[in-house]
Amino acid sequence: EHVYIFGGEFSTAWQFKHYRDLWRFDVTSNAWEQIETKTGPSPRSGHRMVLWKHFLVVFGGFFETSRGVKWFNDLYLFDLRAREWHLVEFKQTAQQPSARSGCQFVASIGKDVIYMYGGYAKEQISTNKRRGRNLDDMWALHLSLNTSSNSAWPTAKWEPIGKKGDAPLKRSGASSIAYRNRIILFGG
């Protein structure tokens, strides 16, 4: 049994650095192992990662420098068996969530769907001014293994989910988990 960590940031009052390294922690031996890869997501923090079958699924995040901030809505898969990264490419006309960090990203137990809710991003409101905003949209990421093709990589499709009932207020950085047929969300 293992725990995986990708990327993140280190900051102090005078230093700020983003990472793109991938680590595996063995809970039996209490040992860390860095998984060396040549490709994969760019350095970032605020992204979300879940396990689906034998793939790590990484979505979104941001990268900040003294020149500005870049927000991501890209989707990467890491095959735990082959130890390789894959950028999922969507058609230009395909629906997909906007760039964000701090969203909720929860794999549905026993199903081929990952749910994404909320998050935070900054939008351009003038040439040199941005405004931060919390989001309250929800998406389902449908994943399926390619049984009819030679590709080892799953296919992915985003589907927006309309609001029904009493939806949570706009937020980012909450904790969430799948439980039976529900997603439980706390804080933010």
Side-chain angles (χ1 to χ4, degrees):
E1 293 181 21
H2 300 96
V3 175
Y4 292 86
I5 296 175
F6 170 78
E9 67 184 61
F10 170 78
S11 64
T12 65
W14 60 89
Q15 230 179 345
F16 195 83
K17 179 171 174 49
H18 288 276
Y19 294 93
R20 64 175 297 275
D21 49 351
L22 179 63
W23 290 83
R24 179 173 84 167
F25 180 73
D26 187 317
V27 297
T28 305
S29 67
N30 289 329
W32 285 100
E33 171 196 3
Q34 183 172 9
I35 300 173
E36 298 292 337
T37 60
K38 293 183 177 149
T39 62
S42 59
R44 63 187 65 203
S45 60
H47 55 284
R48 295 298 183 248
M49 181 171 73
V50 298
L51 177 68
W52 175 76
K53 298 195 185 295
H54 61 278
F55 296 95
L56 297 176
V57 183
V58 176
F59 172 76
F62 71 96
F63 178 78
E64 186 172 6
T65 65
S66 59
R67 293 180 301 229
V69 180
K70 178 172 175 52
W71 302 87
F72 301 106
N73 71 335
D74 51 5
L75 184 72
Y76 278 88
L77 302 173
F78 183 77
D79 186 330
L80 294 171
R81 295 175 183 167
R83 290 190 169 202
E84 293 178 340
W85 283 107
H86 172 70
L87 170 64
V88 178
E89 298 198 32
F90 296 95
K91 292 181 181 177
Q92 213 170 19
T93 57
Q95 289 186 307
Q96 52 186 321
S98 60
R100 66 191 69 206
S101 68
C103 61
Q104 307 320 297
F105 203 50
V106 180
S108 183
I109 298 169
K111 297 183 181 174
D112 294 334
V113 64
I114 297 171
Y115 293 98
M116 190 276 299
Y117 173 77
Y120 178 84
K122 287 189 177 180
E123 60 186 7
Q124 199 79 34
I125 57 173
S126 67
T127 307
N128 56 358
K129 190 170 183 184
R130 290 177 164 224
R131 175 180 55 207
R133 64 185 178 114
N134 284 308
L135 304 164
D136 65 349
D137 54 339
M138 187 165 189
W139 293 77
L141 175 63
H142 300 277
L143 297 166
S144 60
L145 293 173
N146 291 320
T147 55
S148 61
S149 73
N150 291 334
S151 175
W153 298 105
T155 58
K157 180 183 177 188
W158 285 106
E159 173 195 9
I161 297 177
K163 294 179 186 170
K164 294 179 183 174
D166 295 325
L169 298 174
K170 295 179 180 185
R171 67 187 67 211
S172 63
S175 295
S176 55
I177 190 168
Y179 178 72
R180 296 187 181 173
N181 277 345
R182 304 204 185 307
I183 295 173
I184 300 170
L185 184 132
F186 177 78

